[in-house]
Amino acid sequence: MIIAIDGPAGSGKSTAAKIIAQRLNFRYIDTGAMYRAVALSAQRKNADLHDLDIIAKIAEKLDIQLIPQAEGQQVLADGEDVTALLKNETVGAGAAIVAAQPKVREVLIAKQRELGKKGGVVMDGRDIGTVVFPNAEFKFFMEANPEERGRRRYLELKEKNPSANLEEIIEQVKRRDHEDRNRKISPLVMAEDGMLLDTTRFNPNEVVEQILEIIEKK
Ligand code: C5P
């Protein structure tokens, strides 16, 4: 069984996906981390993120390992633990640029399909229910208003960076969403048979309960 959870940044998908995976004893896979790992690697090499050939080569060569952990997932890029480095918004913005490139998506989607082929996974991203696993048993699409999504990202980022600025983060989140929703390849859209959950007014546990109830009913 595959549970696909898609939605924009700050919609609460990874928090919910992690808890659901724990509750069902499934593996949690955060696909955004893969796009972030490619972006980080390119940024460290001072590569032009818009250069399709260079970025394609980086994506093809980079060995990305997702190691399941109690509190989520550890990410190894060419053997180095980059988990903490992936979380900042500079890497997030870079991820949105490389994620719009066909070769990068081809390489990463192949890895995602490999990871999910045996089932028993909760996978979160932007195109899991539409492209990666269009036959997933469950497809959830999470939304929340942009101000609330920015506020959630701000609270996460502020722990590491006390000078994080709320207004700036709301703007960054809106910009990244706009790019994700309007790109030509695998844009962020809800699958036709997806289930929409607006999480604006719900805390993570309430969202998890709604999802588990839907899964149990089926
Ligand atoms: O989910 P996260 O914020 O870590 O994703 C970072 C970026 O990676 C997104 O803004 C999006 O551009 C890209 N992404 C994607 N497809 C996925 C997961 C992430 O295009 N399945």
Side-chain angles (χ1 to χ4, degrees), residues 153-155 157-159 161-169:
R153 289 292 293 151
Y154 167 74
L155 293 176
L157 296 172
K158 203 176 67 154
E159 282 177 24
N161 174 12
S163 66
N165 176 295
L166 177 62
E167 298 308 316
E168 232 172 72
I169 291 172

Side-chain angles (χ1 to χ4, degrees), residues 166-204:
L166 177 62
E167 298 308 316
E168 232 172 72
I169 291 172
I170 292 176
E171 277 319 303
Q172 286 167 342
V173 160
K174 283 186 183 167
R175 205 176 316 134
R176 185 143 67 87
D177 273 5
H178 181 82
E179 284 173 29
D180 288 345
R181 289 184 208 263
N182 291 289
R183 65 185 178 210
K184 288 198 195 83
I185 171 170
S186 291
L188 171 65
V189 283
M190 185 169 93
E192 275 176 22
D193 52 351
M195 269 173 273
L196 179 66
L197 290 174
D198 186 331
T199 69
T200 308
R201 283 168 224 290
F202 296 108
N203 68 39

Side-chain angles (χ1 to χ4, degrees), residues 102-121:
K103 190 70 200 178
V104 173
R105 299 207 74 85
E106 184 191 312
V107 169
L108 298 187
I109 287 171
K111 290 187 206 267
Q112 292 155 15
R113 289 191 176 138
E114 187 60 34
L115 285 171
K117 73 176 183 204
K118 289 198 201 110
V121 298

